[in-house]
Amino acid sequence: MRARDKAAVSALRATLAALDNAEAVPVGETEMRGLALEQSPVGAGATEALRREVSESGVVDIVRAEATERLEAAEQLTTPAHADRAARLREEASVLLRFLDGHGAP
C-alpha cells in the first residue's frame, strides 16, 4: 500500500478475503432458521464458533485459484476497449504467482 501498487493491493485484498471465507464455519439450514426466543443461547460468546483452519496446501490452492481466475478473466477480455483491464488482471495474477514460487506452477 505504501508503494501505491494498486494491482498488488487489489489482488492481496481479494485473496485475503478468499482465505478468510475459507476459514468460515459453514452454517446449516436449521441454524439459518433460528431458535425460539427461550432456546436462544445467552451470554458473551455463547454463539461463537472456532474458525476452520486452512492448511498450507489449502492456502496455496486458494492463492493459485485466485491467480488462475484473473488470468482466465483476462483471456476473455479480447477487445481493445478492455486492454487496460486485461493488463491489470494479468498484473494482479503475477503478484499472486510470486507468492507461489516454490509451490509449483499454476
Side-chain angles (χ1 to χ4, degrees):
M1 292 174 95
R2 289 182 184 163
R4 307 245 190 259
D5 187 344
K6 291 180 182 181
V9 170
S10 176
L12 294 173
R13 280 186 175 165
T15 303
L16 286 172
L19 290 167
D20 196 41
N21 288 340
E23 294 174 337
V25 177
V27 178
E29 186 178 322
T30 56
E31 294 168 349
M32 294 279 293
R33 286 191 226 134
L35 300 170
L37 183 58
E38 63 274 5
Q39 295 174 330
S40 298
V42 178
T47 59
E48 294 296 315
L50 289 175
R51 295 184 63 80
R52 295 188 296 180
E53 289 190 33
V54 179
S55 67
E56 184 178 343
S57 65
V59 170
V60 168
D61 291 343
I62 291 168
V63 174
R64 183 174 288 123
E66 288 290 314
T68 300
E69 182 179 313
R70 283 164 176 72
L71 291 172
E72 289 173 353
E75 286 179 21
Q76 299 294 319
L77 301 173
T78 57
T79 63
H82 293 112
D84 289 342
R85 178 68 181 138
R88 174 77 176 263
L89 289 167
R90 287 186 191 95
E91 188 177 350
E92 289 180 12
S94 175
V95 167
L96 296 175
L97 291 173
R98 284 193 302 247
F99 286 101
L100 296 179
D101 286 346
H103 290 283

